[in-house]
């Protein structure tokens, strides 16, 4: 039962991120968003999540994993209720930011609970595979569920659906997870480090989200960049002098964790950017409806889930590094095949070989990189280790999407014609190259190839 609740927590995180995409046109019309500001329904969530993940991870270590899990679920439930009742654009953007903070608390709490409830090795690997399958399902089924809800009940339903799920999650977590011990007041919380890290990372993610749309030389972009650099530099100074730093220096000597952080960044920059370009292809090139687009993502959802399970078995047979190399090579081949199949008159069936290979590789790599991130990390550091790896996941996604959109020639929802299709193909081929380079780097890396280290 505990694993089911943890998987449901990951499902909520991924579902909440993705479900609003198909509702954006209705949200914009209903609340009077300008075309310029509508992106913040998504971006507010991304910025808040990316900025607070490190803080959320350390809070789970120091304040209690069960407490943070329950608090995050209640934040989701409360903010989702307010979001569904929102009557102004500003309130909805604020709600999405609060949901993002909930995600930044829930993700590391969930991951560190798995890594402490299940012993390192096959038991933990199986739990991470189930957790990963739930997350993959949420990302892909979110589009379908969002389309059905919007057409049947209106845009507010994509928020209301979270309320009972998150409420059940909070109650189940409180009842099923081991009670946290009393707060050890001898362990100080690095407030200055938390503030500087959170501020610096939030501004960095804001810059990466806003820069491609508004330009990198605008006053907002330049001031965000300057403040982010200053705060992150100050964070580094504070951490060196702190007796109990937010991020213990010993973690930066953990080679497996550092490799896993690089993997999460690359994964998010490449694999996780594919739905954006596929959505453009389905809706703008072929004119799919919201529901039809959601249905088109059912095959990737199922295959990614299969890939997470296959990845767990491959780790036992071949070790983490070999499995990651194989999964990423499979993903690179799939992305390349998908790029070749993207045509103006091609059917969905033409895309299936590429989608299947890409999704299998994505599922396997997802499971493998979280196994690598937790291997050999002390129980008391599992929260902050999860926070580090998930922060690079968020930042990598923001950087990757910005780079791919730029390579594609700035394609967007308003683009049309052959230029749009060429841009989408360029982005997909670039992602394939990135995944392939990652596989090659892991293949050439001289290190342990056992079951717990990449």
């Amino acid at each position: 039962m505990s694993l089911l609740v943890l998987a449901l927590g990951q499902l909520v995180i991924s579902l909440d991120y993705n479900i609003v995409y198909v509702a954006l046109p209705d949200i914009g019309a209903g609340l009077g968003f300008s075309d310029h500001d509508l992106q913040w329904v998504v971006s507010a969530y991304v910025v808040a999540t990316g900025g607070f993940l490190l803080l959320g991870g350390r809070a789970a270590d120091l304040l209690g994993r069960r407490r943070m899990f329950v608090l995050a679920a209640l934040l989701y439930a409360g903010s989702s209720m307010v979001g569904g009742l929102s009557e102004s654009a500003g309130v909805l953007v604020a709600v999405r930011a609060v949901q993002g903070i909930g995600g930044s608390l829930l993700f590391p709490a969930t991951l560190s609970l798995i890594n402490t409830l299940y012993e390192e090795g096959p038991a933990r690997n199986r739990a991470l595979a189930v957790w990963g399958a739930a997350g993959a399902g949420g990302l892909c089924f979110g589009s379908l569920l969002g389309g059905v809800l919007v057409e049947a009940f209106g845009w507010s339903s994509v928020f209301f659906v979270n309320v009972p799920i998150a409420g059940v999650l909070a109650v189940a977590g409180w009842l099923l997870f081991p009670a946290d011990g009393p707060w050890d007041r001898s362990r100080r919380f690095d407030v200055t480090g938390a503030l500087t890290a959170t501020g610096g990372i939030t501004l960095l993610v804001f810059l990466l989200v806003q820069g491609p749309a508004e330009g990198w030389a605008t006053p907002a972009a330049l001031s965000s960049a300057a403040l982010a650099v200053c705060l992150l530099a100050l964070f580094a100074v504070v951490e060196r002098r702190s007796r109990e730093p937010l991020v213990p220096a010993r973690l930066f000597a953990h080679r497996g964790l550092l490799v896993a952080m690089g993997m999460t960044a690359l994964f998010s920059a490449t694999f996780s950017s594919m739905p954006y370009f596929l959505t453009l292809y389905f809706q703008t090139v072929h004119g799919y409806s919201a529901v039809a687009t959601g249905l088109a993502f059912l095959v990737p959802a199922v295959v990614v889930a299969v890939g997470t399970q296959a990845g767990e078995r491959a780790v036992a047979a071949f070790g983490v590094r070999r499995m990651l190399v194989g999964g990423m090579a499979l993903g690179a081949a799939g992305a390349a095949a998908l790029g070749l199949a993207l045509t103006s008159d091609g059917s969905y069936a033409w895309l299936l070989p590429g989608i299947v290979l890409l999704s299998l590789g994505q599922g396997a790599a997802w499971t493998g990189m979280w196994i690598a991130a937790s291997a050999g990390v002390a129980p008391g550091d599992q929260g902050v280790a999860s926070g580090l790896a998930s922060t690079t996941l968020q930042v990598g996604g923001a950087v990757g999407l910005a780079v791919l959109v730029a390579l594609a020639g700035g394609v967007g929802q308003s683009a049309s014609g052959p230029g749009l299709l060429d841009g989408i193909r360029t982005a997909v081929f670039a992602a394939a190259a990135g995944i392939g380079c990652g596989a090659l780097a892991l293949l050439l890396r001289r290190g342990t190839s056992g079951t717990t280290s990449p």
Side-chain angles (χ1 to χ4, degrees):
M1 281 299 293
S2 294
L3 182 56
L4 178 62
V5 175
L6 291 166
L8 182 61
Q10 177 63 5
L11 179 67
V12 166
I13 294 170
S14 56
L15 192 69
D16 194 60
Y17 173 79
N18 207 45
I19 197 171
V20 300
Y21 275 103
V22 295
L24 287 177
D26 291 64
I27 290 173
L31 296 183
F33 275 93
S34 68
D35 292 340
H36 175 271
D37 292 333
L38 186 59
Q39 65 160 324
W40 282 103
V41 177
V42 175
S43 298
Y45 185 93
V46 173
V47 171
T49 303
F52 283 80
L53 273 167
L54 199 55
L55 177 60
R58 198 53 173 163
D61 287 334
L62 297 182
L63 305 180
R65 298 178 179 91
R66 186 178 76 163
R67 293 188 188 105
M68 289 299 103
F69 184 94
V70 172
L71 174 61
L74 292 175
L75 271 178
Y76 264 119
S79 59
S80 296
M81 176 64 74
V82 175
L85 297 172
S86 295
E87 296 182 356
S88 74
V91 170
L92 189 64
V93 170
V95 162
R96 290 292 287 166
V98 174
Q99 287 182 320
I101 294 172
S104 70
L105 298 177
L106 187 59
F107 191 96
T110 302
L111 194 52
S112 60
L113 277 164
I114 289 177
N115 294 334
T116 52
L117 289 175
Y118 298 92
E119 185 178 354
E120 184 174 330
R124 184 188 293 175
N125 295 350
R126 281 193 296 271
L128 286 169
V130 171
W131 171 82
L139 284 174
C140 294
F141 284 116
S143 298
L144 175 60
L145 179 60
V148 171
L149 288 174
V150 169
E151 291 198 4
F153 305 107
W155 68 262
S156 60
S157 59
V158 302
F159 292 93
F160 287 140
V161 72
N162 279 327
V163 177
I165 299 174
V168 167
L169 198 64
V171 173
W174 186 260
L175 293 176
L176 293 176
F177 297 148
D180 298 312
W183 181 17
D184 185 358
R185 298 185 181 276
S186 66
R187 297 184 68 184
R188 297 178 57 195
F189 196 88
D190 183 9
V191 176
T192 306
L195 292 174
T196 53
T198 301
I201 295 170
T202 301
L203 286 167
L204 177 61
V205 177
F206 171 83
L207 172 67
L208 295 172
V209 169
Q210 188 77 348
E214 300 300 320
W216 300 101
T218 62
L222 294 174
S223 58
S224 295
L227 284 172
V229 170
C230 290
L231 286 172
L232 292 174
L234 182 58
F235 169 68
V237 172
V238 168
E239 293 299 278
R240 290 187 64 184
R241 297 181 178 181
S242 176
R243 292 183 178 180
E244 296 189 42
L246 184 72
V247 182
R250 58 183 173 273
L251 290 179
F252 291 110
H254 194 296
R255 293 177 61 192
L257 177 59
L258 294 179
V259 172
M261 289 168 63
M263 280 291 304
T264 61
L266 178 63
F267 179 96
S268 190
T270 53
F271 284 110
S272 297
S273 295
M274 289 297 98
Y276 174 84
F277 294 100
L278 283 176
T279 299
L280 277 179
Y281 178 75
F282 292 141
Q283 293 188 334
T284 308
V285 176
H286 284 289
Y288 285 17
S289 67
V291 173
T293 300
L295 288 170
F297 280 105
L298 280 179
V299 172
V302 172
V303 179
V304 168
V306 171
T308 61
Q309 305 305 306
E312 179 263 321
R313 290 172 173 80
V315 167
F318 305 109
V320 174
R321 186 169 68 93
R322 292 193 183 102
M323 189 281 289
L324 283 171
V325 170
M328 293 183 71
L330 202 63
L338 184 61
L340 293 172
L342 294 172
T343 61
S344 59
D345 56 354
S347 68
Y348 183 76
W350 290 14
L351 306 179
L352 285 177
I355 285 176
V356 169
L357 291 176
L358 176 69
S359 301
L360 278 174
Q362 180 176 353
W366 177 264
T367 297
M369 69 189 189
W370 294 113
I371 292 173
S374 65
V377 177
D381 289 332
Q382 284 290 349
V384 72
S386 301
L388 284 168
S390 51
T391 296
T392 53
L393 184 79
Q394 290 289 324
V395 174
V399 173
L401 186 58
V403 170
L404 291 176
V405 168
L407 287 174
V411 300
Q413 296 289 351
S414 60
S416 60
L420 171 64
L421 184 56
D422 289 343
I424 292 171
R425 275 199 294 256
T426 298
V428 172
F429 284 132
I435 298 168
C437 288
L440 183 62
L442 275 177
L443 182 65
L444 297 177
R445 179 177 179 269
R446 295 184 181 275
T448 304
S449 59
T451 61
T452 61
S453 173

